[in-house]
Amino acid sequence: MKCPRTQYGHGFFEGCALSFETGQRDVLGRIGVFETKSGKLETPALLPVVNPLAQEIPPRVMFEKLGSKALITNAYLIRRRAGDTGVDDIHDFLDFPGIVATDSGAYQMLRYGEVEVGSAEIIDYQQSIRTDIGVILDVPTGSRASRTRAMETVNETIRRADEARKVIKNRDIAWVGPIQGGLYPDLVAYSAREMAKRGFDIYALGSPTEVMEQYLFADLVDMILAAKMNLPFSTPLHLFGAGHPFMFSLAVALGCDLFDSAAYILYARRGRYLTQAGTLHLGQMEYFPCKCDTCASTSPDKVRSLPIAERTRLLAEHNLLACFQEIETIKESIVEGRLWELVEIRCRSHPRLLEAFQRTQKHRAEVACCAPSTKRKGILFFDSTSLQRPEYVMHLERLLGDYVPPREARVLVLAPVMTHRPGDESSDILVGMTKAGKGAHVCLYSPPYGLVPSELQDTFPFSQTETLEEPDPEILKVMAKAVQSYLAKNRTYRAVVLVRSDRGWHVRYAGMCKSVCTKLRVRFSSVTDKEISSGLTGIGRKGKRYLGKNTKGKPVKRRK
Amino acid sequence: MKCPRTQYGHGFFEGCALSFETGQRDVLGRIGVFETKSGKLETPALLPVVNPLAQEIPPRVMFEKLGSKALITNAYLIRRRAGDTGVDDIHDFLDFPGIVATDSGAYQMLRYGEVEVGSAEIIDYQQSIRTDIGVILDVPTGSRASRTRAMETVNETIRRADEARKVIKNRDIAWVGPIQGGLYPDLVAYSAREMAKRGFDIYALGSPTEVMEQYLFADLVDMILAAKMNLPFSTPLHLFGAGHPFMFSLAVALGCDLFDSAAYILYARRGRYLTQAGTLHLGQMEYFPCKCDTCASTSPDKVRSLPIAERTRLLAEHNLLACFQEIETIKESIVEGRLWELVEIRCRSHPRLLEAFQRTQKHRAEVACCAPSTKRKGILFFDSTSLQRPEYVMHLERLLGDYVPPREARVLVLAPVMTHRPGDESSDILVGMTKAGKGAHVCLYSPPYGLVPSELQDTFPFSQTETLEEPDPEILKVMAKAVQSYLAKNRTYRAVVLVRSDRGWHVRYAGMCKSVCTKLRVRFSSVTDKEISSGLTGIGRKGKRYLGKNTKGKPVKRRK
């Protein structure tokens, strides 16, 4: 797989004025600035979906009061109502001084079947109303399409993209290339590769609305990564129709830069109140768990007593602010290097979201390959769900791929890190052993790390990991697995001496390492930290037992 | 253990005007109204700690702008500065029209050793300045005390409580009885029982400040429950010196009603910005992830450029609002019956908090016994951490304690719930079997429930549990354990027939149930759902094989 970090192709035309610059990164998320003819848009960004014909919140209020710098509306609906020449400038039409994106009617096609507009026509129309970001008329796959039908939508969208290239005149409009393929990740990947060849300014993953309505978040993970890994990282990725704010952070962590959402108003109309972790029903609420301008000055009781239009407007304002607040939370977490931690929290909002998060397990190598490998802050490591963290995956990859143990290493001394017992110096004593006995190689263990060469103990992420004192069984298994892979790769070790305390998980870990050694026919013994503190004799004796004359260079023969 | 729900004793004096009424409940948390002479205080409530001599945020601003209905200040410090007669009414002195609580100087004792005031003196003084909530002069245990020292602090506090009873005249002041014992839960329990006998209006758990500064949240869980379970539930429980808002929800879920905290200002002075999930450093921030009045109108950059006093005030205002917002979030989650879910989320803010949450495992029986056993909303069940949910613990207790299977039941048919395959009717067919074959008793399994008698399948919480489609290994183990305990208790079953699909966890579950049956010498067989849908023949045959004539009443002989 070609690494998508490679910058291949950007912008519809050479010398295009549109630029996308990215700054701070975490996981696959990044903070970026996308330039449009109406100004700069900082990403990740949410574009509220605005009905061009009737708005509960006037676009100017969105801009001035709610801080919405961009919105998305529907060119197809405007044209159907106002005719070809009724609108001169979409910004004036909506009374919105920010950035306007227009959709082409593809969503209407998905919902209501064929639309009465041609592919070329709608591009022309978007140019004529001076949109900032335009979408070609793609064919959405949806979530119910057969594989054959899905392939058809992919191919037809590609055909229309080629057609669009001929019609597009305005070089100051950013054109969006939609990716189709629906629930078939291989088709999404193909669609992404083909669209990428055509050099759009923004790529957008289609069809998630239906997928999200059915809470198929795990499938969405596959879809997003299939697209992301086949698109240039230098171009923004838009997620069409992203719904509830509780999934924004996951989408950003997987590489989405832009969202549009009508959730704020759709939920408001049904009396629903959005929070970062879920949805509440105004009808049953007694407290507003929010300090936004709208909520701070009123109460659920008062809002319930308002006329329905006013009530919907207030709910919509809060809902939109809740979405924007989540975007700010995500941006700050990227700055802090804590995006993964945020996703771990948000995925506890619903079991389907946790399943989606677990699905990233399947993609951990791709994600780790493209994520920043160090950060200025430590990482918080919780339980087995944290095992997919890019920093951890990278650590294992480096340990089992690149790392070469000292040439003379014959006995692997595995010693625990004693972080929680101040004054306990046994690890330091052990580290000193590397010099003392030439054949001994001291490595440390500390959840979730099964083995870290002591000479690397101060490197990231090992020394910057905060975790539970008791690893769960899954983590313990992965730790022992690391020892197994390490010993299987580095066949020069003749023996393992494990130092342990009498804590429950130390004993279990020693047992697991013993099994690993038995399997690999490496000698194993363990000593307790008490034996160590009474003069290192235990380990000295046990270590020496395995160190004969044959300690220099020559690999040790062992039965296979 | 006497159930603390029993209402034994309340109020310092008989006929006392102070009342505490509780309404909605979830886990051990509840919404209550505590009456004071200056008005009603809704709980859970946070009382900001206000330095009586110098305030960054004027108390009136707290009341009017930030919505703080109550605060706590220090009677000892006021008296030391103003003398015995300098202050007539604490409300006027602070210019605060809400409810004022006063501490007695015990915290100063903990920090700076002995204080220069007598126990009777400080009670007199609190009466003279017309406080609403007063604290007797207790002796804090702290987190470093030896067991002997801890016992001394407990006994001395009890002695002073008796002394206080003689001095207290004002019946309209709510008096707080502090619970000591520090990190020794048995001493905390003893202290709570002794103080409860003395009938205070509020009980308060002492010493957590130090415990929390060292992030010993798991020990705090033991402390809180030791106190709570030995106090009357009809009296509010205050947690002295609760710090960061990320632990409020856990404390409320364990039964705390009141908090005081100086975190808002202490953190602000060090340039720290509180969120519900952690602490950010203003120096490194680029975005405010908050829409409160203070944050919405500015940016980290602007706040950094302010003079230090102004900067601290702004941060303190935000921090206090963040604390209040968390209290509102907790209250609404009690209303929604989603307090447990909130705690699961908050405990992902730091590994030490997750450890604390796991510590509740030890206390699950006590918690389940006192928590509401049904609720109007379903429960979200994530992974093994959710196994401690009171609703789940209660379900197991009822199943393994109270439930009696149908008299004629001889074959246990264990069938999966097919929630995620619409149109699949096999469970319904199986349920019908209860009538068809008299000796067959159909039970259902669905994570996290190992076994639910089909006649109870519509009861709470079974039918209202939303969980992951794939249970984790720990949950699978607990499910099989439930089957084992059930069969061990109900020895009338001769055989188990398990229906499964070819999904991975179904196969694993069947294997585990088989082991269980082997251990208990109960016959076991499994059929696949495909066999079932081809006419129930499989199960019919297998079921019949174990149903002889001996199906009515008589227990079946089995080798032990």
Side-chain angles (χ1 to χ4, degrees):
Chain A
M1 180 180 50
K2 190 169 174 185
C3 179
R5 275 179 297 186
T6 322
Q7 319 258 323
Y8 65 91
H10 165 60
F12 219 98
F13 304 93
E14 275 192 52
C16 171
L18 305 166
S19 84
F20 180 55
E21 307 217 338
T22 59
Q24 304 193 61
R25 298 189 301 130
D26 196 15
V27 200
L28 303 189
R30 66 263 181 102
I31 293 180
V33 177
F34 187 74
E35 236 180 298
T36 73
K37 70 178 167 57
S38 295
K40 289 177 179 184
L41 178 61
E42 194 175 58
T43 65
L46 171 75
L47 283 59
V49 175
V50 167
N51 182 334
L53 308 174
Q55 300 110 22
E56 275 88 349
I57 309 175
R60 184 160 287 273
V61 172
M62 273 192 189
F63 186 84
E64 285 170 2
K65 182 177 163 193
L66 308 178
S68 181
K69 296 293 163 242
L71 58 75
I72 187 165
T73 187
N74 195 300
Y76 167 73
L77 293 180
I78 297 175
R79 182 167 171 273
R80 208 175 58 172
R81 172 68 63 97
D84 263 336
T85 53
V87 176
D88 203 41
D89 188 313
I90 183 73
H91 302 81
D92 300 336
F93 178 72
L94 292 175
D95 186 25
F96 186 74
I99 297 160
V100 175
T102 44
D103 198 359
S104 55
Y107 182 74
Q108 280 64 32
M109 194 188 302
L110 183 64
R111 284 278 146 136
Y112 314 111
E114 208 52 52
V115 294
E116 311 132 355
V117 67
S119 170
E121 266 175 286
I122 197 69
I123 287 173
D124 264 348
Y125 185 70
Q126 290 180 80
Q127 293 182 123
S128 78
I129 61 174
R130 306 182 52 73
T131 191
D132 298 308
I133 300 173
V135 183
I136 69 161
L137 188 67
D138 56 326
V139 188
T141 311
S143 69
R144 276 168 251 262
S146 68
R147 198 181 161 82
T148 316
R149 170 65 193 156
M151 192 68 215
E152 279 169 23
T153 61
V154 168
N155 285 332
E156 177 62 15
T157 300
I158 295 168
R159 201 190 59 72
R160 291 188 185 181
D162 288 333
E163 201 176 281
R165 287 176 69 97
K166 294 173 200 152
V167 190
I168 288 168
K169 295 179 209 89
N170 292 48
R171 298 183 175 214
D172 57 359
I173 292 177
W175 288 99
V176 176
I179 315 290
Q180 294 300 341
L183 289 170
Y184 305 93
D186 59 325
L187 299 188
V188 172
Y190 169 74
S191 176
R193 280 193 300 273
E194 287 302 314
M195 295 304 278
K197 285 182 197 160
R198 286 155 178 87
F200 283 88
D201 304 300
I202 295 172
Y203 297 96
L205 181 61
S207 313
T209 307
E210 286 199 335
V211 172
M212 280 188 284
E213 279 172 1
Q214 297 166 61
Y215 271 40
L216 304 174
F217 300 121
D219 296 312
L220 186 63
V221 167
D222 293 336
M223 286 170 67
I224 293 175
L225 284 172
K228 185 72 184 176
M229 291 297 154
N230 289 285
L231 289 171
F233 268 33
S234 53
T235 312
L237 176 60
H238 181 112
L239 185 65
F240 266 137
H244 197 289
F246 66 16
M247 52 75 62
F248 290 176
S249 59
L250 178 62
V252 170
L254 299 176
C256 297
D257 302 292
L258 294 165
F259 303 93
D260 63 287
S261 173
Y264 73 102
I265 183 66
L266 298 178
Y267 281 74
R269 286 194 197 128
R270 288 182 291 138
R272 300 295 192 270
Y273 179 98
L274 296 179
T275 75
Q276 294 175 323
T279 309
L280 303 173
H281 301 198
L282 178 67
Q284 296 165 7
M285 290 177 75
E286 296 187 16
Y287 308 92
F288 282 140
C290 172
K291 292 287 175 193
C292 80
D293 208 31
T294 306
C295 298
S297 56
T298 183
S299 73
D301 229 17
K302 282 185 203 157
V303 176
R304 272 193 291 268
S305 68
L306 294 173
I308 185 152
E310 177 70 354
R311 188 168 73 207
T312 304
R313 189 185 60 76
L314 277 182
L315 279 177
E317 282 193 17
H318 158 80
N319 287 348
L320 197 50
L321 277 173
C323 292
F324 288 144
Q325 182 177 353
E326 183 61 0
I327 295 286
E328 299 296 294
T329 303
I330 291 167
K331 289 200 286 195
E332 182 59 24
S333 77
I334 293 175
V335 171
E336 301 276 329
R338 285 278 163 90
L339 180 56
W340 186 274
E341 279 84 349
L342 179 66
V343 180
E344 288 219 26
I345 288 174
R346 291 291 183 263
C347 284
R348 301 270 154 182
S349 304
H350 197 280
R352 297 282 93 71
L353 271 175
L354 185 58
E355 276 170 353
F357 188 49
Q358 291 174 345
R359 183 68 64 87
T360 62
Q361 162 81 6
K362 210 172 91 181
H363 306 280
R364 64 186 187 284
E366 291 152 73
V367 173
C369 146
C370 302
S373 57
T374 59
K375 47 181 57 171
R376 69 176 185 202
K377 233 186 179 166
I379 63 178
L380 301 180
F381 205 100
F382 291 93
D383 50 21
S384 50
T385 55
S386 305
L387 288 169
Q388 305 153 46
R389 287 198 72 114
E391 301 88 352
Y392 181 73
V393 173
M394 280 307 290
H395 151 79
L396 271 187
E397 226 174 271
R398 282 192 301 258
L399 177 72
L400 303 174
D402 313 334
Y403 176 74
V404 180
R407 260 187 63 216
E408 65 276 18
R410 290 298 170 273
V411 177
L412 176 64
V413 180
L414 255 181
V417 176
M418 305 291 194
T419 42
H420 299 289
R421 300 189 188 180
D424 187 316
E425 305 275 323
S426 53
S427 308
D428 292 340
I429 297 170
L430 287 164
V431 172
M433 276 209 57
T434 318
K435 286 161 198 157
K438 257 199 162 181
H441 180 212
V442 179
C443 292
L444 301 171
Y445 65 92
S446 174
Y449 306 98
L451 175 150
V452 174
S454 58
E455 67 269 27
L456 301 179
Q457 68 168 313
D458 294 325
T459 58
F460 182 89
F462 184 59
S463 59
Q464 286 87 8
T465 301
E466 182 99 44
T467 188
L468 279 71
E469 291 201 31
E470 285 282 327
D472 68 26
E474 182 65 19
I475 290 186
L476 217 51
K477 224 163 80 182
V478 171
M479 287 170 64
K481 186 90 196 301
V483 173
Q484 176 169 347
S485 307
Y486 179 81
L487 287 175
K489 193 200 160 205
N490 302 296
R491 302 291 292 182
T492 48
Y493 293 107
R494 278 193 223 170
V496 170
V497 179
L498 185 135
V499 184
R500 62 164 183 84
S501 73
D502 48 10
R503 294 170 68 191
W505 77 264
H506 275 203
V507 177
R508 286 197 300 279
Y509 187 59
M512 293 166 94
C513 288
K514 188 177 177 182
S515 304
V516 160
C517 288
T518 309
K519 200 185 284 175
L520 294 172
R521 297 178 185 277
V522 173
R523 284 179 204 150
F524 177 87
S525 62
S526 72
V527 292
T528 67
D529 51 356
K530 279 174 201 149
E531 290 180 80
I532 296 293
S533 41
S534 64
L536 277 173
T537 49
I539 193 168
R541 251 185 292 117
K542 282 183 180 162
K544 267 179 204 147
R545 208 186 302 158
Y546 310 118
L547 291 171
K549 291 168 192 166
N550 186 18
T551 54
K552 286 190 187 155
K554 275 191 242 169
V556 180
K557 274 180 208 160
R558 265 179 310 209
R559 285 163 292 167
K560 272 272 173 179
Chain B
M1 182 178 52
K2 190 168 172 184
C3 179
R5 275 179 297 184
T6 320
Q7 320 258 323
Y8 65 90
H10 165 63
F12 220 97
F13 304 93
E14 274 192 50
C16 169
L18 304 166
S19 84
F20 180 56
E21 305 217 339
T22 59
Q24 304 194 63
R25 300 190 298 131
D26 198 14
V27 200
L28 303 189
R30 66 265 180 101
I31 293 180
V33 177
F34 187 74
E35 236 179 299
T36 73
K37 69 177 166 61
S38 295
K40 290 178 178 183
L41 178 60
E42 194 177 57
T43 64
L46 171 75
L47 282 58
V49 175
V50 167
N51 182 332
L53 309 174
Q55 300 111 22
E56 276 88 348
I57 309 175
R60 185 161 284 276
V61 172
M62 273 191 189
F63 186 84
E64 284 170 2
K65 183 178 163 193
L66 308 178
S68 182
K69 295 294 163 244
L71 58 74
I72 187 165
T73 188
N74 195 302
Y76 167 73
L77 294 179
I78 298 174
R79 182 168 171 271
R80 207 175 58 175
R81 173 68 63 96
D84 263 335
T85 53
V87 176
D88 203 42
D89 188 315
I90 182 73
H91 302 81
D92 300 334
F93 177 74
L94 292 174
D95 186 24
F96 185 74
I99 297 160
V100 176
T102 44
D103 199 358
S104 55
Y107 181 74
Q108 281 64 33
M109 195 189 300
L110 184 64
R111 283 281 145 133
Y112 315 110
E114 209 51 51
V115 294
E116 311 133 353
V117 67
S119 171
E121 267 177 282
I122 196 68
I123 287 174
D124 264 347
Y125 185 70
Q126 291 181 80
Q127 293 182 123
S128 78
I129 60 174
R130 305 181 53 73
T131 190
D132 298 307
I133 300 174
V135 183
I136 68 160
L137 188 67
D138 56 326
V139 188
T141 311
S143 69
R144 276 168 252 264
S146 69
R147 198 180 161 81
T148 315
R149 171 67 193 153
M151 193 66 215
E152 280 168 23
T153 61
V154 168
N155 285 332
E156 176 62 14
T157 300
I158 295 170
R159 200 190 60 73
R160 292 189 186 180
D162 288 332
E163 200 174 283
R165 287 176 69 95
K166 295 171 201 153
V167 191
I168 288 168
K169 292 179 211 92
N170 291 48
R171 301 183 173 213
D172 58 357
I173 294 177
W175 289 100
V176 176
I179 315 289
Q180 294 301 340
L183 289 170
Y184 305 94
D186 58 326
L187 300 188
V188 173
Y190 170 73
S191 176
R193 278 193 302 272
E194 287 303 315
M195 295 306 275
K197 287 181 197 161
R198 285 153 180 87
F200 283 88
D201 305 300
I202 295 173
Y203 297 96
L205 181 61
S207 312
T209 307
E210 285 198 338
V211 172
M212 280 188 283
E213 278 172 2
Q214 297 167 60
Y215 271 39
L216 304 175
F217 300 121
D219 296 313
L220 187 63
V221 167
D222 293 338
M223 286 169 67
I224 293 175
L225 283 173
K228 185 72 184 175
M229 291 296 153
N230 290 284
L231 289 170
F233 269 32
S234 53
T235 312
L237 176 60
H238 181 113
L239 186 65
F240 266 137
H244 197 291
F246 67 15
M247 53 73 64
F248 290 176
S249 58
L250 178 62
V252 170
L254 299 177
C256 297
D257 302 292
L258 293 165
F259 303 93
D260 63 287
S261 173
Y264 74 101
I265 184 66
L266 299 177
Y267 281 73
R269 287 194 195 125
R270 289 180 291 139
R272 301 294 193 273
Y273 179 98
L274 294 180
T275 75
Q276 294 174 323
T279 308
L280 303 173
H281 300 197
L282 179 67
Q284 296 165 9
M285 289 176 75
E286 296 188 16
Y287 308 91
F288 281 140
C290 173
K291 293 286 175 194
C292 79
D293 208 32
T294 306
C295 298
S297 56
T298 184
S299 72
D301 230 18
K302 281 185 202 156
V303 176
R304 271 192 292 269
S305 68
L306 294 173
I308 185 153
E310 177 69 355
R311 189 167 73 208
T312 305
R313 189 185 61 77
L314 277 182
L315 279 176
E317 281 193 15
H318 159 79
N319 287 349
L320 197 50
L321 277 174
C323 293
F324 288 144
Q325 182 176 354
E326 183 62 359
I327 296 285
E328 299 295 294
T329 304
I330 292 167
K331 288 200 286 194
E332 182 59 25
S333 76
I334 293 174
V335 171
E336 301 276 329
R338 285 279 163 90
L339 179 56
W340 186 274
E341 280 84 350
L342 179 65
V343 180
E344 287 219 25
I345 288 174
R346 290 292 182 265
C347 284
R348 301 271 155 182
S349 302
H350 197 280
R352 295 284 91 72
L353 272 176
L354 185 57
E355 277 169 352
F357 188 49
Q358 291 174 345
R359 183 68 66 85
T360 62
Q361 161 82 6
K362 211 172 88 180
H363 307 280
R364 65 187 186 283
E366 290 151 75
V367 173
C369 146
C370 303
S373 58
T374 59
K375 46 182 57 172
R376 66 177 187 204
K377 233 186 179 167
I379 62 178
L380 301 180
F381 204 101
F382 292 95
D383 49 22
S384 50
T385 54
S386 306
L387 289 169
Q388 305 154 46
R389 287 197 73 113
E391 301 89 351
Y392 181 73
V393 173
M394 279 307 289
H395 151 78
L396 272 187
E397 228 174 87
R398 281 191 302 256
L399 177 72
L400 304 175
D402 314 332
Y403 176 75
V404 180
R407 260 186 65 214
E408 66 274 19
R410 289 300 169 273
V411 178
L412 176 64
V413 180
L414 255 180
V417 176
M418 304 292 195
T419 42
H420 298 292
R421 301 189 185 180
D424 188 316
E425 305 276 322
S426 52
S427 308
D428 292 339
I429 295 169
L430 287 164
V431 172
M433 276 209 56
T434 317
K435 287 162 199 159
K438 258 199 162 181
H441 179 214
V442 179
C443 292
L444 301 170
Y445 65 92
S446 173
Y449 306 98
L451 176 151
V452 174
S454 58
E455 67 269 27
L456 301 179
Q457 68 168 313
D458 295 325
T459 58
F460 182 88
F462 183 59
S463 59
Q464 286 87 7
T465 301
E466 183 98 44
T467 188
L468 280 72
E469 291 201 31
E470 285 283 328
D472 69 25
E474 183 64 19
I475 289 185
L476 218 50
K477 226 164 76 185
V478 171
M479 286 169 64
K481 185 89 196 304
V483 173
Q484 176 169 347
S485 308
Y486 179 81
L487 287 175
K489 193 200 160 204
N490 301 296
R491 304 290 293 179
T492 47
Y493 293 105
R494 280 192 220 172
V496 170
V497 179
L498 186 136
V499 184
R500 62 163 183 85
S501 73
D502 48 10
R503 295 170 67 189
W505 78 263
H506 275 203
V507 177
R508 286 196 300 281
Y509 187 59
M512 293 165 95
C513 287
K514 189 178 176 178
S515 306
V516 160
C517 288
T518 309
K519 200 183 286 175
L520 294 172
R521 298 177 185 277
V522 173
R523 284 178 201 150
F524 177 87
S525 62
S526 72
V527 292
T528 66
D529 51 355
K530 279 173 202 150
E531 289 179 82
I532 298 292
S533 41
S534 65
L536 278 171
T537 49
I539 192 169
R541 248 185 295 119
K542 282 183 182 162
K544 270 179 203 147
R545 208 187 301 159
Y546 309 120
L547 292 172
K549 290 170 193 166
N550 186 17
T551 53
K552 286 191 187 153
K554 276 190 243 169
V556 180
K557 274 180 209 161
R558 263 178 313 211
R559 284 165 292 170
K560 270 273 171 174

